[in-house]
Each structure stands twice: as structure tokens, then as C-alpha cells.
Amino acid sequence: MSDSLLAKKYVDGIYIPAGLIVLGTAILKREFLHYAVLVAIALGAIKFIRTQPKKVLKPDAFQEFELKEKTIISHNVAIYRFALPSPSDILGLPIGQHISIGAHLPQPDGTTKEIVRSYTPVSGDHQPGYFDLLIKSYPTGNISKHMAGLAVGQTIRVKGPKGAFVYTPNMVRHFGMIAGGTGITPMLQVIRAIIRGRKAGDTTQVDLIFANVTKEDILLKEDLDALTKEDKGIRVHYVLDKPPADWQGGVGYVTGDMITKWLPKPAEDVKLLLCGPPPMVSGLKKTAEALGFKKARPVSKLEDQIFAF
């Protein structure tokens, strides 16, 4: 997160105190003015460095973060807000990457085993002091079930950043995205970054197919609809396996026809991003290849035309 050098915190905390040092010396001991300037610059530099956001993530070591707030979205979905050590700290997670959550969980045989799972925050480094995770808990889940049982004040163990995808403005002309369920989280992270970058010249277009079972399963629909209203370069196409009678969107599984209808055609400046249940992603890779996209690798690299999170 970067602030303007004319931000109030710099004016009040650095420029005014430094100016007073120089002005006071000029009035009282003019012969020491050049020393006063050096002292003012040195103190201002120290204060500037101390006010910069500190990145807290460590890629090779788990750290504990405290749960500050839990917002229930549905019977099995919640947004968990974790505090960073200081209100000015940032997670330090590049757009498109994820974190690992680890927990020592009891096993059926009575032993304890460390389980690690990956999650993409729905917050970003432009929001200092905390990070938010959108998690759907499953009865047979490991970390997701553990998270559902967390109480405010308890902690989780996190390390990162992880992942091969890092978003940079205008890296492609047009993203086609397909998400299933909680696979929406990395897509939302990228979309929000694109919109934040519009003023600086990010012209990236996005078409997202978001697939779910029922209308009630559509996570963050209000947020997504608000983003599409705010930015005409972002379009979301909803698909439901079990739609209500008055449903106007897509029906069933995501098909080649839907991809052809709603997503950009294969081109050098187009990238297809996938995130969802493994069988869905595996099937979509084959479908996209049949439509002319370059063959996807088992483990995606940043330069791939089809990238699966």
C-alpha cells in the first residue's frame, strides 16, 4: 500500500516537525542552520521508514494470527477476519497468490497429524491491519471444519506467499475466468486489483463464469454485482446446476458452448483462469483445449494460457 507523499500523516508527522527544527535554529542559532537541516532530514527519514507498512508473511515459517471477527454468510460459509500484529502492517501477499494454513488435527486412529491447506484472502494489502478469509466448511473437511469451530480470540498458523500466479496490470488484454464455489476467491482478488488500477491505466477486460449448485450457494453475489455495476470492463455470468424456475442465467455444468458464448476467444493476449473442485478444473482444461486454448500443464506456470489456481 502506498500513500501520497502529501498525505496528512507525512505533513503532520514529518514535514511540520522538520520545518520547526530548521525554523527554530534559523531564529536562535543561524550558524548551526546546516546542522539543523541534516538533523531534520535524518529524523524525517527515520520517521518515514517507521510509518511504511510492514509485510508480515514468511514463506518458510508458520506464524500465528488471532481471529478478531467472524461473519456468518450461510449455514456453512463465513468470513473470518484475522488481526495483523500492528494496525499499519500488511500481509504482503501479491495479487493472485495464496497462503497456507496449518493445524495439528486429531486422526481416526487417535494420533495427531499436521494438515495444510491453501486459501486466498478476499482482502488485500490496500487494507492494512487485518486479512479476511472466505471459507466454506465441509463435514468431512479438515482445515475448513477446524476453522468453523474457531472462536474469536483463538489463532491460526499461516505462512506464504504461495503460488505461481502474480497479477501485474495489463499483463493480458482480456481474462476469461471460470470459478466454482469458493474458487471465486482468487478471481475476486484479481478483479478488485484491476478496478483499483483503472486510474493508473489498467485496461484489462474480464469475463467470469461463476458456477454453483443453487442460487443460495452463490458466494459474494452482492459484491460481484456491485463490481460489475462500477466497472463496465467486468462481466459476470452465473451458472447453476439446480436453478429456480425464474432463473435467467446458465444451467448445468460449464460447457464449451458457454465458454464460446461468454469468454474471450483464444489469443496471445488472452489468459483463461480456472479455480474450483479438481474434477471441474480437470474437465474444463480439456474443454478449453478443444476450443483452441494451448494445452494446460498438470501444474500451471505463470506464462501458461490456461492457468489453474
mmCIF file of all heavy atoms in Angstrom, residues 75-76 136 138 179-182 210-219 238-244 247 250-254 277 280:
data_model
loop_
_atom_site.group_PDB
_atom_site.id
_atom_site.type_symbol
_atom_site.label_atom_id
_atom_site.label_comp_id
_atom_site.label_asym_id
_atom_site.label_seq_id
_atom_site.Cartn_x
_atom_site.Cartn_y
_atom_site.Cartn_z
ATOM 1 N N HIS A 75 -25.226 -21.225 6.375
ATOM 2 C CA HIS A 75 -25.071 -22.285 7.386
ATOM 3 C C HIS A 75 -23.671 -22.906 7.389
ATOM 4 O O HIS A 75 -23.246 -23.459 8.398
ATOM 5 C CB HIS A 75 -26.137 -23.373 7.185
ATOM 6 C CG HIS A 75 -25.909 -24.224 5.977
ATOM 7 N ND1 HIS A 75 -26.172 -23.783 4.698
ATOM 8 C CD2 HIS A 75 -25.433 -25.495 5.843
ATOM 9 C CE1 HIS A 75 -25.886 -24.741 3.834
ATOM 10 N NE2 HIS A 75 -25.432 -25.776 4.500
ATOM 11 N N ASN A 76 -22.966 -22.828 6.260
ATOM 12 C CA ASN A 76 -21.630 -23.442 6.225
ATOM 13 C C ASN A 76 -20.553 -22.536 5.621
ATOM 14 O O ASN A 76 -19.477 -23.010 5.255
ATOM 15 C CB ASN A 76 -21.667 -24.777 5.474
ATOM 16 C CG ASN A 76 -22.072 -24.617 4.011
ATOM 17 O OD1 ASN A 76 -22.463 -23.526 3.573
ATOM 18 N ND2 ASN A 76 -21.979 -25.693 3.259
ATOM 19 N N LYS A 136 -15.731 -22.083 3.206
ATOM 20 C CA LYS A 136 -16.910 -22.955 3.273
ATOM 21 C C LYS A 136 -16.489 -24.221 4.008
ATOM 22 O O LYS A 136 -15.530 -24.890 3.608
ATOM 23 C CB LYS A 136 -17.386 -23.280 1.854
ATOM 24 C CG LYS A 136 -18.684 -24.089 1.801
ATOM 25 C CD LYS A 136 -19.173 -24.213 0.366
ATOM 26 C CE LYS A 136 -20.529 -24.892 0.295
ATOM 27 N NZ LYS A 136 -21.061 -24.925 -1.086
ATOM 28 N N TYR A 138 -16.893 -28.077 5.382
ATOM 29 C CA TYR A 138 -17.496 -29.336 4.953
ATOM 30 C C TYR A 138 -17.433 -30.328 6.122
ATOM 31 O O TYR A 138 -16.453 -30.343 6.870
ATOM 32 C CB TYR A 138 -16.744 -29.917 3.749
ATOM 33 C CG TYR A 138 -16.788 -29.026 2.522
ATOM 34 C CD1 TYR A 138 -15.787 -28.076 2.302
ATOM 35 C CD2 TYR A 138 -17.817 -29.131 1.596
ATOM 36 C CE1 TYR A 138 -15.822 -27.254 1.176
ATOM 37 C CE2 TYR A 138 -17.857 -28.321 0.464
ATOM 38 C CZ TYR A 138 -16.854 -27.391 0.269
ATOM 39 O OH TYR A 138 -16.891 -26.575 -0.843
ATOM 40 N N ALA A 179 -14.953 -20.020 -12.278
ATOM 41 C CA ALA A 179 -14.829 -20.364 -10.865
ATOM 42 C C ALA A 179 -15.993 -21.226 -10.440
ATOM 43 O O ALA A 179 -17.115 -21.068 -10.915
ATOM 44 C CB ALA A 179 -14.784 -19.094 -10.013
ATOM 45 N N GLY A 180 -15.720 -22.136 -9.522
ATOM 46 C CA GLY A 180 -16.767 -22.945 -8.919
ATOM 47 C C GLY A 180 -16.712 -22.790 -7.411
ATOM 48 O O GLY A 180 -15.648 -22.952 -6.802
ATOM 49 N N GLY A 181 -17.832 -22.441 -6.796
ATOM 50 C CA GLY A 181 -17.889 -22.334 -5.335
ATOM 51 C C GLY A 181 -16.884 -21.352 -4.759
ATOM 52 O O GLY A 181 -16.779 -20.204 -5.197
ATOM 53 N N THR A 182 -16.094 -21.819 -3.777
ATOM 54 C CA THR A 182 -15.104 -20.946 -3.127
ATOM 55 C C THR A 182 -13.922 -20.642 -4.049
ATOM 56 O O THR A 182 -13.051 -19.862 -3.687
ATOM 57 C CB THR A 182 -14.584 -21.565 -1.815
ATOM 58 O OG1 THR A 182 -14.121 -22.886 -2.071
ATOM 59 C CG2 THR A 182 -15.684 -21.616 -0.768
ATOM 60 N N PHE A 210 -19.268 -18.003 -13.208
ATOM 61 C CA PHE A 210 -19.266 -18.439 -11.815
ATOM 62 C C PHE A 210 -20.321 -19.526 -11.647
ATOM 63 O O PHE A 210 -21.515 -19.269 -11.753
ATOM 64 C CB PHE A 210 -19.546 -17.249 -10.905
ATOM 65 C CG PHE A 210 -19.361 -17.528 -9.430
ATOM 66 C CD1 PHE A 210 -18.665 -18.636 -8.978
ATOM 67 C CD2 PHE A 210 -19.898 -16.656 -8.485
ATOM 68 C CE1 PHE A 210 -18.502 -18.891 -7.624
ATOM 69 C CE2 PHE A 210 -19.738 -16.877 -7.128
ATOM 70 C CZ PHE A 210 -19.043 -18.002 -6.697
ATOM 71 N N ALA A 211 -19.860 -20.767 -11.411
ATOM 72 C CA ALA A 211 -20.753 -21.932 -11.363
ATOM 73 C C ALA A 211 -21.017 -22.368 -9.922
ATOM 74 O O ALA A 211 -20.101 -22.455 -9.104
ATOM 75 C CB ALA A 211 -20.121 -23.081 -12.141
ATOM 76 N N ASN A 212 -22.299 -22.636 -9.627
ATOM 77 C CA ASN A 212 -22.699 -23.123 -8.310
ATOM 78 C C ASN A 212 -23.848 -24.109 -8.466
ATOM 79 O O ASN A 212 -24.402 -24.268 -9.555
ATOM 80 C CB ASN A 212 -23.129 -21.952 -7.424
ATOM 81 C CG ASN A 212 -21.954 -21.094 -6.986
ATOM 82 O OD1 ASN A 212 -21.250 -21.418 -6.040
ATOM 83 N ND2 ASN A 212 -21.733 -19.988 -7.693
ATOM 84 N N VAL A 213 -24.218 -24.762 -7.345
ATOM 85 C CA VAL A 213 -25.312 -25.738 -7.398
ATOM 86 C C VAL A 213 -26.658 -25.013 -7.371
ATOM 87 O O VAL A 213 -27.473 -25.156 -8.277
ATOM 88 C CB VAL A 213 -25.213 -26.751 -6.237
ATOM 89 C CG1 VAL A 213 -26.395 -27.733 -6.308
ATOM 90 C CG2 VAL A 213 -23.898 -27.515 -6.312
ATOM 91 N N THR A 214 -26.892 -24.200 -6.335
ATOM 92 C CA THR A 214 -28.157 -23.471 -6.215
ATOM 93 C C THR A 214 -27.881 -21.971 -6.123
ATOM 94 O O THR A 214 -26.738 -21.544 -5.914
ATOM 95 C CB THR A 214 -28.934 -23.897 -4.957
ATOM 96 O OG1 THR A 214 -28.217 -23.445 -3.795
ATOM 97 C CG2 THR A 214 -29.108 -25.404 -4.887
ATOM 98 N N LYS A 215 -28.939 -21.184 -6.233
ATOM 99 C CA LYS A 215 -28.803 -19.726 -6.150
ATOM 100 C C LYS A 215 -28.267 -19.311 -4.776
ATOM 101 O O LYS A 215 -27.482 -18.366 -4.666
ATOM 102 C CB LYS A 215 -30.160 -19.069 -6.410
ATOM 103 C CG LYS A 215 -30.091 -17.561 -6.617
ATOM 104 C CD LYS A 215 -31.444 -17.008 -7.012
ATOM 105 C CE LYS A 215 -31.365 -15.496 -7.235
ATOM 106 N NZ LYS A 215 -32.692 -14.945 -7.621
ATOM 107 N N GLU A 216 -28.666 -20.052 -3.733
ATOM 108 C CA GLU A 216 -28.212 -19.741 -2.376
ATOM 109 C C GLU A 216 -26.720 -20.012 -2.197
ATOM 110 O O GLU A 216 -26.090 -19.480 -1.267
ATOM 111 C CB GLU A 216 -28.998 -20.574 -1.345
ATOM 112 C CG GLU A 216 -30.456 -20.180 -1.201
ATOM 113 C CD GLU A 216 -31.298 -20.515 -2.430
ATOM 114 O OE1 GLU A 216 -31.029 -21.557 -3.074
ATOM 115 O OE2 GLU A 216 -32.201 -19.719 -2.767
ATOM 116 N N ASP A 217 -26.141 -20.834 -3.082
ATOM 117 C CA ASP A 217 -24.713 -21.163 -2.980
ATOM 118 C C ASP A 217 -23.804 -20.089 -3.575
ATOM 119 O O ASP A 217 -22.585 -20.151 -3.422
ATOM 120 C CB ASP A 217 -24.419 -22.496 -3.697
ATOM 121 C CG ASP A 217 -25.039 -23.681 -2.984
ATOM 122 O OD1 ASP A 217 -25.011 -23.698 -1.737
ATOM 123 O OD2 ASP A 217 -25.554 -24.576 -3.670
ATOM 124 N N ILE A 218 -24.373 -19.107 -4.272
ATOM 125 C CA ILE A 218 -23.543 -18.098 -4.939
ATOM 126 C C ILE A 218 -22.905 -17.187 -3.888
ATOM 127 O O ILE A 218 -23.586 -16.354 -3.273
ATOM 128 C CB ILE A 218 -24.356 -17.248 -5.943
ATOM 129 C CG1 ILE A 218 -25.011 -18.148 -6.989
ATOM 130 C CG2 ILE A 218 -23.439 -16.233 -6.624
ATOM 131 C CD1 ILE A 218 -25.934 -17.409 -7.951
ATOM 132 N N LEU A 219 -21.618 -17.359 -3.671
ATOM 133 C CA LEU A 219 -20.905 -16.584 -2.658
ATOM 134 C C LEU A 219 -20.609 -15.170 -3.145
ATOM 135 O O LEU A 219 -20.242 -14.972 -4.306
ATOM 136 C CB LEU A 219 -19.592 -17.288 -2.294
ATOM 137 C CG LEU A 219 -19.727 -18.711 -1.736
ATOM 138 C CD1 LEU A 219 -18.363 -19.363 -1.626
ATOM 139 C CD2 LEU A 219 -20.426 -18.692 -0.385
ATOM 140 N N TYR A 238 -23.491 -16.110 -14.444
ATOM 141 C CA TYR A 238 -23.788 -17.122 -13.431
ATOM 142 C C TYR A 238 -24.346 -18.388 -14.067
ATOM 143 O O TYR A 238 -25.164 -18.331 -14.991
ATOM 144 C CB TYR A 238 -24.785 -16.571 -12.418
ATOM 145 C CG TYR A 238 -24.262 -15.389 -11.623
ATOM 146 C CD1 TYR A 238 -24.679 -14.085 -11.925
ATOM 147 C CD2 TYR A 238 -23.348 -15.568 -10.586
ATOM 148 C CE1 TYR A 238 -24.209 -12.999 -11.200
ATOM 149 C CE2 TYR A 238 -22.871 -14.471 -9.853
ATOM 150 C CZ TYR A 238 -23.297 -13.200 -10.176
ATOM 151 O OH TYR A 238 -22.822 -12.127 -9.463
ATOM 152 N N VAL A 239 -23.912 -19.532 -13.520
ATOM 153 C CA VAL A 239 -24.396 -20.835 -13.983
ATOM 154 C C VAL A 239 -24.800 -21.650 -12.757
ATOM 155 O O VAL A 239 -24.038 -21.724 -11.780
ATOM 156 C CB VAL A 239 -23.289 -21.594 -14.763
ATOM 157 C CG1 VAL A 239 -23.766 -22.995 -15.134
ATOM 158 C CG2 VAL A 239 -22.884 -20.824 -16.011
ATOM 159 N N LEU A 240 -26.005 -22.242 -12.795
ATOM 160 C CA LEU A 240 -26.483 -23.066 -11.681
ATOM 161 C C LEU A 240 -26.830 -24.476 -12.145
ATOM 162 O O LEU A 240 -27.410 -24.656 -13.202
ATOM 163 C CB LEU A 240 -27.732 -22.432 -11.055
ATOM 164 C CG LEU A 240 -27.559 -21.078 -10.352
ATOM 165 C CD1 LEU A 240 -28.894 -20.621 -9.785
ATOM 166 C CD2 LEU A 240 -26.504 -21.165 -9.251
ATOM 167 N N ASP A 241 -26.478 -25.444 -11.313
ATOM 168 C CA ASP A 241 -26.807 -26.838 -11.610
ATOM 169 C C ASP A 241 -28.292 -27.109 -11.305
ATOM 170 O O ASP A 241 -28.960 -27.861 -12.006
ATOM 171 C CB ASP A 241 -25.910 -27.755 -10.779
ATOM 172 C CG ASP A 241 -25.993 -29.197 -11.225
ATOM 173 O OD1 ASP A 241 -26.218 -29.423 -12.423
ATOM 174 O OD2 ASP A 241 -25.845 -30.092 -10.373
ATOM 175 N N LYS A 242 -28.796 -26.466 -10.237
ATOM 176 C CA LYS A 242 -30.211 -26.626 -9.862
ATOM 177 C C LYS A 242 -30.838 -25.233 -9.732
ATOM 178 O O LYS A 242 -30.982 -24.713 -8.622
ATOM 179 C CB LYS A 242 -30.320 -27.391 -8.543
ATOM 180 C CG LYS A 242 -29.776 -28.815 -8.619
ATOM 181 C CD LYS A 242 -29.815 -29.500 -7.271
ATOM 182 C CE LYS A 242 -29.248 -30.915 -7.370
ATOM 183 N NZ LYS A 242 -29.176 -31.571 -6.033
ATOM 184 N N PRO A 243 -31.211 -24.640 -10.863
ATOM 185 C CA PRO A 243 -31.711 -23.266 -10.831
ATOM 186 C C PRO A 243 -33.172 -23.177 -10.399
ATOM 187 O O PRO A 243 -33.933 -24.138 -10.558
ATOM 188 C CB PRO A 243 -31.562 -22.816 -12.286
ATOM 189 C CG PRO A 243 -31.733 -24.081 -13.065
ATOM 190 C CD PRO A 243 -31.158 -25.182 -12.223
ATOM 191 N N PRO A 244 -33.590 -22.016 -9.880
ATOM 192 C CA PRO A 244 -35.012 -21.803 -9.603
ATOM 193 C C PRO A 244 -35.785 -21.619 -10.913
ATOM 194 O O PRO A 244 -35.173 -21.428 -11.974
ATOM 195 C CB PRO A 244 -35.020 -20.513 -8.776
ATOM 196 C CG PRO A 244 -33.760 -19.801 -9.169
ATOM 197 C CD PRO A 244 -32.762 -20.862 -9.494
ATOM 198 N N TRP A 247 -34.984 -18.564 -13.249
ATOM 199 C CA TRP A 247 -33.550 -18.320 -13.470
ATOM 200 C C TRP A 247 -33.255 -17.880 -14.903
ATOM 201 O O TRP A 247 -33.740 -18.494 -15.852
ATOM 202 C CB TRP A 247 -32.759 -19.590 -13.152
ATOM 203 C CG TRP A 247 -31.275 -19.472 -13.317
ATOM 204 C CD1 TRP A 247 -30.496 -20.119 -14.237
ATOM 205 C CD2 TRP A 247 -30.385 -18.670 -12.542
ATOM 206 N NE1 TRP A 247 -29.178 -19.783 -14.078
ATOM 207 C CE2 TRP A 247 -29.087 -18.882 -13.036
ATOM 208 C CE3 TRP A 247 -30.566 -17.784 -11.470
ATOM 209 C CZ2 TRP A 247 -27.958 -18.247 -12.504
ATOM 210 C CZ3 TRP A 247 -29.449 -17.151 -10.938
ATOM 211 C CH2 TRP A 247 -28.174 -17.387 -11.460
ATOM 212 N N GLY A 250 -27.072 -19.335 -16.881
ATOM 213 C CA GLY A 250 -26.749 -20.639 -17.442
ATOM 214 C C GLY A 250 -27.237 -21.769 -16.547
ATOM 215 O O GLY A 250 -27.416 -21.599 -15.343
ATOM 216 N N VAL A 251 -27.445 -22.932 -17.148
ATOM 217 C CA VAL A 251 -27.962 -24.089 -16.418
ATOM 218 C C VAL A 251 -27.075 -25.300 -16.667
ATOM 219 O O VAL A 251 -26.642 -25.555 -17.797
ATOM 220 C CB VAL A 251 -29.413 -24.408 -16.857
ATOM 221 C CG1 VAL A 251 -29.921 -25.668 -16.167
ATOM 222 C CG2 VAL A 251 -30.338 -23.235 -16.540
ATOM 223 N N GLY A 252 -26.786 -26.064 -15.580
ATOM 224 C CA GLY A 252 -25.995 -27.278 -15.694
ATOM 225 C C GLY A 252 -24.524 -27.031 -15.400
ATOM 226 O O GLY A 252 -24.167 -26.087 -14.690
ATOM 227 N N TYR A 253 -23.677 -27.897 -15.956
ATOM 228 C CA TYR A 253 -22.235 -27.711 -15.808
ATOM 229 C C TYR A 253 -21.756 -26.713 -16.855
ATOM 230 O O TYR A 253 -22.420 -26.475 -17.867
ATOM 231 C CB TYR A 253 -21.497 -29.043 -15.973
ATOM 232 C CG TYR A 253 -21.793 -30.047 -14.883
ATOM 233 C CD1 TYR A 253 -22.001 -31.387 -15.179
ATOM 234 C CD2 TYR A 253 -21.849 -29.644 -13.543
ATOM 235 C CE1 TYR A 253 -22.265 -32.325 -14.175
ATOM 236 C CE2 TYR A 253 -22.111 -30.553 -12.539
ATOM 237 C CZ TYR A 253 -22.325 -31.897 -12.852
ATOM 238 O OH TYR A 253 -22.584 -32.793 -11.860
ATOM 239 N N VAL A 254 -20.568 -26.144 -16.622
ATOM 240 C CA VAL A 254 -19.987 -25.204 -17.592
ATOM 241 C C VAL A 254 -19.569 -25.988 -18.836
ATOM 242 O O VAL A 254 -18.816 -26.961 -18.747
ATOM 243 C CB VAL A 254 -18.774 -24.460 -16.990
ATOM 244 C CG1 VAL A 254 -18.168 -23.525 -18.034
ATOM 245 C CG2 VAL A 254 -19.194 -23.677 -15.744
ATOM 246 N N PRO A 277 -13.466 -27.108 -7.754
ATOM 247 C CA PRO A 277 -13.200 -28.507 -7.408
ATOM 248 C C PRO A 277 -12.320 -29.163 -8.477
ATOM 249 O O PRO A 277 -12.496 -28.903 -9.674
ATOM 250 C CB PRO A 277 -14.596 -29.136 -7.391
ATOM 251 C CG PRO A 277 -15.530 -27.981 -7.191
ATOM 252 C CD PRO A 277 -14.891 -26.810 -7.862
ATOM 253 N N MET A 280 -13.862 -30.521 -11.742
ATOM 254 C CA MET A 280 -14.347 -29.444 -12.605
ATOM 255 C C MET A 280 -13.190 -28.821 -13.383
ATOM 256 O O MET A 280 -13.270 -28.637 -14.599
ATOM 257 C CB MET A 280 -15.036 -28.373 -11.742
ATOM 258 C CG MET A 280 -15.402 -27.097 -12.485
ATOM 259 S SD MET A 280 -16.049 -25.843 -11.336
ATOM 260 C CE MET A 280 -16.104 -24.412 -12.425
#
